[in-house]
Amino acid sequence: MIVTPQTFSFTEPLRLQSGAVLPSYELTVETYGTLNAERTNAVLVCHALNASHHVAGWYADAGGQTIARSEGWWNNMIGPGKPVDTDRWFVIGVNNLGSCFGSTGPTHINPATGEPWGADFPVVTVEDWVNAQARLLDAMGIDTLAAVMGGSLGGMQTLSWTLQYPERVRHAVVVASAPNLTAENIAFNEVARRAIVTDPDFHGGHYLRHGTLPRRGLRIARMIGHITYLSDDVMNEKFGRMLRPRDAEALLDDGASVAGTTAEGSYRYSTQDIEFQIESYLRYQGDKFSEYFDANTYLLITRALDYFDPARSYEGRLSAALARARARFLLVSFTTDWRFSPARSREMVKALLENGRAVSYCEIDAPHGHDAFLLDDPRYHAAVRSYFEHTVGGAA
Amino acid sequence: MIVTPQTFSFTEPLRLQSGAVLPSYELTVETYGTLNAERTNAVLVCHALNASHHVAGWYADAGGQTIARSEGWWNNMIGPGKPVDTDRWFVIGVNNLGSCFGSTGPTHINPATGEPWGADFPVVTVEDWVNAQARLLDAMGIDTLAAVMGGSLGGMQTLSWTLQYPERVRHAVVVASAPNLTAENIAFNEVARRAIVTDPDFHGGHYLRHGTLPRRGLRIARMIGHITYLSDDVMNEKFGRMLRPRDAEALLDDGASVAGTTAEGSYRYSTQDIEFQIESYLRYQGDKFSEYFDANTYLLITRALDYFDPARSYEGRLSAALARARARFLLVSFTTDWRFSPARSREMVKALLENGRAVSYCEIDAPHGHDAFLLDDPRYHAAVRSYFEHTVGGAA
């Protein structure tokens, strides 16, 4: 499936939750499948931290795109014959405001100054994203969504859709998500942000004006993120305590210790060189990320995660907060996800049931941690497939 | 109990595990209680990442010390009438090589160059520390220890004592420790090290020569550490999603949102300002740490953690690795410690039992995560007290 992004421009100002106003903006969008004549088969997919509108398919020419890879981030889930079958559903991927992948964000020009927004780009929240997505649907002539779906931060947007526009959502698929972040989640976000903000190349968020990029900070942020996406189990299985493979250069440089190599190789006894494979993996992930991701976007998106908390206006009572929802729900969680643990999904299930909502819940025994929501575990995919075929599709 | 550190100088070169040789060195030491005439009541306490020889008691003049606080780090555990009763036991606290609290380390002068060692200080391992501690005991005229004890990295040293000097240790008390680090543990250490090493003020580890200190990196390292020392539960209990207290300045600056304050206060909508109390706590911990801890020491000590793996020479078979031990053991773990989980302690218990060793094991149901080993949970302290009174003391 070869796909092409489109751009929608909005000139009606968007009032944000913070009180700030975005005078005009663009949203970058991809769609897959065909909108039916009744306009009842639209499925909106919301993205998480470092993803985009490029949900499924491939680009004809990946070189021309700003996104890191040509394959859509949920390509195993969405497409012809896949769990969310684009032969039946009209699927919409939308890049969120504040991103660095197309929609208006900090790397774009602030019309008030003629300079890149940088750190002056207003703080956006999950609720703001949902409002912008609703305007996109208006522009597309879609009144009601067959479903909204998303994982992690995308699941928060999905939940928020059912509260902000209850009458426009028939089904909500919330994967590996939570009704808010825990203190530990916020703590990891904060360390990542501090790494970026204290990078001397950050320049208060106006690095583009200074011709620099806070790559050091982004690397650290991404390394921290990666650790929290994986489970301890899968890290032990994939990397364990294995040493880095010795390359030719290391053999030449370090003859003495090669002579004493055991089956597992021998230590270099260095605090700065790569010693374990997990270190090599993390450095590589950090380097790659720092080449394509915008630092201000990282700050904005992690803050949107921190802020999301629908129960906050109800003295913490999630059940009261979810009383407005009218959708039917599928929630999915993964046993080894310690970032958005099954317990957090169960909180949402409980609060929805207390409101008499129809809820399906799958707790998938998977070793992959939070990352599992992007992988093609057969039980997980079967659950989503079945929900779309029989529940979303049955009521269509 | 007012205490004073002493310095022991060693001129016999110490050959390190890496093959490097430390030509001479000093160890900073504190002792509590009195060595009996038979020299059979000595208890060695090994310290963890950011601690020192200052295990118990108080300094008469804290201002003159380089250590952050005047109270010994295990003062609730060790002292007159405490679980390790210094009216009965002669307790020795020793600062490890490579530290920044007194014993020879990277901030000291390298005799070969006349400059601070900095990044040239040799990599030291748990085994090296134990060898240095054994020489200290020789210098003190102590042949056999009634017990060695330590938590976390200190527990690793304790375990290593029973393997390197099996005939010199009667009892080993290993708290909140592990037989090696998991990939996730190494990953957290590596991110912390990268934050330090990529700080432009690090200067390849020779920051002292440049008159700088890599404080940014140390702050990030400490923030990461702190998250992993606490449990998700205790963070939620202590901080949850509480917002920072509004100070007078914030009230003046931000009148509009104060007017709309709910019981929990209102968001500032900022990516860089402190919004949640957990952020304020972490920044404070990071700032404080960066004022007194040496960056090269941080690298060395986290590497010692990474490297420790007695089973490595036995193709990963811990039981074979522990066959040399002759001591009796008390192991303690804490249910919410996800850094050194109870499962890791149980691995050691199993391997010791397979070797026919006498092992007591306490798994304490405590909410405080890894930090629990420093706190005075009554069941934990009762277990240690009882072990010293009846088992160590009974056989003395």
Side-chain angles (χ1 to χ4, degrees), chain B residues 282-360:
Chain B
L282 285 176
R283 288 197 199 183
Y284 175 77
Q285 295 293 338
D287 287 349
K288 212 174 58 170
F289 188 71
S290 75
E291 298 297 320
Y292 73 85
F293 208 85
D294 178 61
N296 285 311
T297 292
Y298 200 89
L299 303 184
L300 288 168
I301 299 190
T302 54
R303 236 351 171 197
L305 273 162
D306 293 354
Y307 282 143
F308 183 67
D309 187 12
R312 190 164 177 276
S313 312
Y314 297 86
E315 293 157 336
R317 290 173 300 124
L318 187 61
S319 178
L322 303 192
R324 295 172 59 82
R326 290 292 165 265
R328 297 183 65 155
F329 283 81
L330 169 64
L331 282 90
V332 182
S333 71
F334 302 94
T335 48
T336 57
D337 182 351
W338 57 281
R339 190 181 167 100
F340 292 109
S341 72
R344 307 308 317 275
S345 282
R346 279 187 241 120
E347 284 177 43
M348 292 186 278
V349 170
K350 181 169 175 287
L352 289 166
L353 292 175
E354 282 167 358
N355 283 295
R357 301 259 56 78
V359 185
S360 302

Side-chain angles (χ1 to χ4, degrees), chain A residues 17-18 119 123 125 180-184 186-188 190-191 193-195 197-198 200 202 204-205 216 220 223-224 227 230-232 235-236 239-241 243 262 264-276 278-279 282-283 299-300 303 306-309 312 315 338, chain B residues 17-18 119 123 125 180-184 186-188 190-191 193-195 197-198 200 202 204-205 216 220 223-224 227 230-232 235-236 239-241 243 262 264-276 278-279 282-283 299-300 303 306-309 312 315 338:
Chain A
Q17 206 180 353
S18 66
V123 166
T125 63
N180 61 26
L181 292 195
T182 64
E184 187 183 83
I186 296 173
F188 279 120
E190 172 68 359
V191 183
R193 281 192 296 263
R194 294 312 290 167
V197 164
T198 62
F202 183 69
R216 293 180 205 89
I220 299 296
M223 291 170 86
I224 295 170
I227 299 174
L230 300 178
S231 69
D232 194 21
M235 277 180 125
N236 280 330
F239 306 106
R241 297 182 49 84
L243 302 186
T262 67
E264 302 93 25
S266 56
Y267 290 154
R268 284 170 196 229
Y269 296 104
S270 165
T271 58
Q272 295 186 40
D273 294 343
I274 288 176
E275 190 72 275
F276 296 94
I278 180 66
E279 298 173 332
L282 285 177
R283 289 198 199 182
L299 303 184
L300 287 168
R303 234 357 167 191
D306 292 354
Y307 282 143
F308 183 66
D309 188 11
R312 191 163 177 277
E315 293 158 335
W338 56 281
Chain B
Q17 206 180 352
S18 66
V123 166
T125 64
N180 62 25
L181 291 195
T182 64
E184 188 183 82
I186 296 173
F188 280 119
E190 172 67 0
V191 183
R193 282 191 296 262
R194 294 311 290 167
V197 165
T198 64
F202 183 67
R216 294 180 205 90
I220 299 295
M223 290 170 86
I224 295 170
I227 299 175
L230 301 177
S231 69
D232 195 21
M235 277 181 124
N236 280 330
F239 306 105
R241 296 182 51 82
L243 302 186
T262 67
E264 302 94 27
S266 56
Y267 290 154
R268 283 171 197 229
Y269 295 104
S270 165
T271 57
Q272 296 184 41
D273 293 344
I274 288 176
E275 190 71 275
F276 296 93
I278 181 66
E279 297 173 333
L282 285 176
R283 288 197 199 183
L299 303 184
L300 288 168
R303 236 351 171 197
D306 293 354
Y307 282 143
F308 183 67
D309 187 12
R312 190 164 177 276
E315 293 157 336
W338 57 281

Side-chain angles (χ1 to χ4, degrees), chain A residues 266-338:
Chain A
S266 56
Y267 290 154
R268 284 170 196 229
Y269 296 104
S270 165
T271 58
Q272 295 186 40
D273 294 343
I274 288 176
E275 190 72 275
F276 296 94
Q277 285 191 15
I278 180 66
E279 298 173 332
S280 169
Y281 171 80
L282 285 177
R283 289 198 199 182
Y284 175 76
Q285 296 293 339
D287 287 349
K288 213 174 57 169
F289 188 72
S290 75
E291 297 297 320
Y292 72 85
F293 208 86
D294 178 62
N296 285 310
T297 292
Y298 201 90
L299 303 184
L300 287 168
I301 299 191
T302 53
R303 234 357 167 191
L305 273 162
D306 292 354
Y307 282 143
F308 183 66
D309 188 11
R312 191 163 177 277
S313 311
Y314 298 87
E315 293 158 335
R317 290 173 300 123
L318 186 61
S319 179
L322 303 192
R324 296 172 58 83
R326 291 293 164 264
R328 297 183 65 156
F329 284 80
L330 169 64
L331 283 90
V332 182
S333 72
F334 302 94
T335 48
T336 56
D337 182 351
W338 56 281

Side-chain angles (χ1 to χ4, degrees), chain A residues 161-191:
Chain A
W161 256 101
T162 71
L163 307 178
Q164 292 177 250
Y165 300 97
E167 71 291 347
R168 297 184 76 170
V169 186
R170 293 201 297 110
H171 294 270
V173 179
V174 177
V175 183
S177 195
N180 61 26
L181 292 195
T182 64
E184 187 183 83
N185 291 148
I186 296 173
F188 279 120
N189 281 346
E190 172 68 359
V191 183

